[in-house]
Amino acid sequence: SSLNTDDDMLLENQLGVYVDNTANELVIKNYANLDIKKLGLYNILGQSIKTWNNLGAELEHRMETKIPAGIYIVRVTLEEGQIVKKIRVD
């Protein structure tokens, strides 16, 4: 039970995280209207690039990100837990 990830998988299916490369935006699709407390964008070394707080429960969030091409980590913090996703910026 210590390796159980059922809760994380449920949360992951309720949020979509991707980059709109044409608009230079990080897009969060909140399918279940979860209350997003914090959103963090990190480079592959774990260094913080940008943080957004108290985004709320809207269906879609679009955050402008003018960052170079590469691989980044997005950490979404909810009351129910956290979701960590890897994204690629072209």
Side-chain angles (χ1 to χ4, degrees), residues 1-12:
S1 68
S2 64
L3 298 177
N4 187 355
T5 59
D6 290 342
D7 292 340
D8 292 340
M9 291 301 285
L10 284 173
L11 288 175
E12 198 167 311

Side-chain angles (χ1 to χ4, degrees), residues 46-82:
Q47 299 165 326
S48 179
I49 303 295
K50 183 81 174 162
T51 303
W52 297 270
N53 292 309
N54 299 319
L55 294 176
E58 286 82 29
L59 179 61
E60 181 177 274
H61 298 280
R62 289 182 166 265
M63 282 72 66
E64 186 176 338
T65 56
K66 294 191 180 205
I67 52 178
I71 304 296
Y72 295 88
I73 306 297
V74 176
R75 180 183 301 239
V76 182
T77 303
L78 311 160
E79 280 190 21
E80 297 83 358
Q82 288 189 350

